[in-house]
Amino acid sequence: AKRVVIKVGTSTLVYPDGAINLRAIDQLAFVISSMRHHHREVVLVSSGAIGVGLNYMGLKQRPKAIPDQQAIAAIGQAELLSIYKERFAIYEQKIGQLLLTRDIFVYPKSHQNVLNTFEALLAQDVVPIVNENDTVAVDELDHETKFGDNDQLSAIVATNIDADLLIMLSDIDGFYDGNPHTDAKAKLLPHIATVDAQTYALAGGSGSRFGTGGMVTKLKAAERMLKADGQMILANGADPAVIFQILAGEPVGTLFG
Ligand code: ADP
């Protein structure tokens, strides 16, 4: 895999008590900078804006009103990027920020502009850090502008820039035949060749306080990658060095493909 998209969930970046997991962000910066040195092009899709924004504002919970949530996202996005910038700078790795909405990929002109930006950043050895633009995309039901979640955004980005691999980091070791948080007997499935109705039947919602997607959106992302002849690996982001194992071809997490 030469071109790789890495998606990190809120659960990897923010502890359940709301503190920011700086160690995980450090590790991500180190791993991704190292990958660049091995001639891999890496795009990072990062959640966590709201979690970081709540922490920054000293809040324990998401505000109820949507505009207040958007404000927290705007605050958190700036703070998150400044943390990334500082940590990547340790490894002399430059970063750039792309805030996207679904409609961008619908209109040929904006679609092409986004692709051009990705190519220009990657050509200059800059790591693009992507998130959904929460200022513009509001309603989860507003499918025109809203991706709904970063899981699907990461797959849409990956297929559009012809990445062969999407590494999806979450708070769980992989895809199980049931939700491990509610079913003690659930077993990890190391390989899924096709995503169908039976696969979706095994997926449950999010277990984390800040996470939004749960497994359904991760399966939708996997389905999109498979349709484009790509692969997705779902693994635990608790230690982002797991990415080294994945790139070395070691069996980690769940491989979709
Ligand atoms: P993230 O913030 O990393 O996107 P989410 O909390 O949205 O993570 O989704 C991961 C969670 O999905 C897991 O912690 C688990 O509670 C839940 N889940 C539901 N069904 C499954 C399943 N079949 N296999 C693994 N995890 C599952």
Side-chain angles (χ1 to χ4, degrees):
K2 196 182 169 285
R3 196 169 269 194
V4 180
V5 174
I6 298 172
K7 188 261 169 178
V8 280
T10 301
S11 54
T12 299
L13 303 171
V14 182
Y15 290 114
D17 70 357
I20 297 166
N21 189 342
L22 292 173
R23 196 185 128 267
I25 298 177
D26 264 343
Q27 283 276 5
L28 270 175
F30 170 68
V31 172
I32 292 172
S33 310
S34 310
M35 287 169 74
R36 298 281 337 185
H37 281 284
H38 290 89
H39 307 295
R40 283 198 165 96
E41 294 175 330
V42 190
V43 171
L44 177 63
V45 177
S46 178
S47 300
I50 296 219
V52 171
L54 291 175
N55 177 283
Y56 187 82
M57 298 303 279
L59 298 172
K60 282 282 165 211
Q61 271 168 33
R62 272 179 195 242
K64 292 231 159 43
I66 300 274
D68 292 337
Q69 290 185 21
Q70 288 176 285
I72 295 292
I75 294 162
Q77 182 66 26
E79 177 63 7
L80 180 62
L81 258 286
S82 94
I83 298 170
Y84 274 127
K85 189 162 191 292
E86 183 188 292
R87 306 289 150 151
F88 273 97
I90 297 169
Y91 309 103
E92 296 180 319
Q93 177 62 60
K94 292 187 173 68
I95 61 167
Q97 173 179 247
L98 286 84
L99 297 175
L100 305 178
T101 47
R102 183 184 274 263
D103 60 328
I104 286 168
F105 290 95
V106 175
Y107 300 106
K109 189 109 199 266
S110 53
H111 182 193
Q112 192 55 52
N113 288 338
V114 170
L115 296 188
N116 294 345
T117 307
F118 272 115
E119 294 302 332
L121 286 169
L122 293 170
Q124 291 170 78
D125 204 28
V126 175
V127 173
I129 300 186
V130 181
N131 193 8
E132 178 151 47
N133 189 342
D134 286 321
T135 305
V136 180
V138 177
D139 195 338
E140 296 267 340
L141 302 172
D142 174 11
H143 292 299
E144 173 78 8
T145 51
K146 184 88 183 161
F147 291 108
D149 60 89
N150 273 340
D151 293 338
Q152 290 186 78
L153 169 60
S154 64
I156 290 171
V157 166
T159 51
N160 272 285
I161 64 169
D162 289 323
D164 5 40
L165 178 65
L166 170 60
I167 298 177
M168 176 97 49
L169 299 181
S170 185
D171 62 348
I172 194 105
D173 287 344
F175 183 65
Y176 288 70
D177 58 6
N179 185 346
H181 290 142
T182 50
D183 176 5
K185 284 195 226 97
K187 274 194 215 56
L188 185 115
L189 303 169
H191 185 208
I192 303 268
T194 46
V195 176
D196 53 24
Q198 279 175 307
T199 328
Y200 279 104
L202 305 173
S206 168
S208 63
R209 187 156 77 98
F210 298 113
T212 48
M215 269 309 130
V216 173
T217 53
K218 288 172 183 54
L219 289 183
K220 284 187 185 164
E223 207 181 338
R224 199 180 279 273
M225 288 307 290
L226 292 176
K227 269 202 197 104
D229 288 323
Q231 293 185 321
M232 183 179 111
I233 291 176
L234 174 66
N236 200 323
D239 181 5
V242 73
I243 295 167
F244 286 134
Q245 285 172 271
I246 291 171
L247 295 174
E250 291 171 33
V252 178
T254 301
L255 167 66
F256 296 87

